[in-house]
Amino acid sequence: MCLLATRNEEAALNRLQKVAETTDGFGLADLDLSLRREGDVLGAQQSGRRSQLRMLRLKQDADLIEQARGDAGELVGDDPELLRYPGLERAVTERLDEQQVAFLERG
């Protein structure tokens, strides 16, 4: 059972109606993603206000993100320390904090 409550605001009532229309967990996750955005893709934050993605949106750009993930996996697989790409290694090091590195290392 799930109890959902809100103030009588049109947008909130609209969201509740959409949630009430399905019992499909994947459908609910997709709805949540479209309403709140993706959250922190390099950590545990679930709120869309802290997205690491600046120019991409997880839902709309899924194909591009999957291609980039594959390319990055190949690059790191061939050169895990990025020794052949010092500029990229520097950019990654500057961009990620310790918590994000730990999250990525967990796989």
Side-chain angles (χ1 to χ4, degrees):
M1 175 168 25
C2 176
L3 175 64
L4 302 171
T6 184
R7 293 181 180 89
N8 191 12
E9 300 170 7
E10 186 174 339
L13 290 173
N14 214 4
R15 286 194 300 270
L16 287 176
Q17 180 63 40
K18 288 179 181 180
V19 168
E21 290 172 356
T22 185
T23 58
D24 174 16
F26 290 108
L28 289 172
D30 191 50
L31 173 64
D32 185 55
L33 179 60
S34 65
L35 293 173
R36 296 188 324 138
R37 297 198 20 216
E38 54 274 336
D40 181 6
V41 297
L42 294 177
Q45 293 291 330
Q46 294 184 8
S47 171
R49 293 190 266 296
R50 291 208 165 245
S51 176
Q52 297 289 328
L53 302 177
R54 293 185 180 163
M55 299 180 73
L56 296 171
R57 292 294 162 250
L58 191 59
K59 193 169 178 179
Q60 291 90 346
D61 301 311
D63 292 340
L64 179 61
I65 292 168
E66 186 61 34
Q67 177 66 46
R69 183 177 188 268
D71 292 346
E74 286 180 30
L75 190 139
V76 171
D78 292 341
D79 184 7
E81 302 298 320
L82 300 175
L83 298 175
R84 291 186 302 235
Y85 307 95
L88 179 57
E89 188 276 333
R90 187 172 44 257
V92 169
T93 301
E94 290 172 0
R95 179 74 173 97
L96 300 178
D97 63 29
E98 290 179 25
Q99 183 180 13
Q100 293 167 326
V101 169
F103 180 82
L104 290 171
E105 287 177 349
R106 282 191 298 236

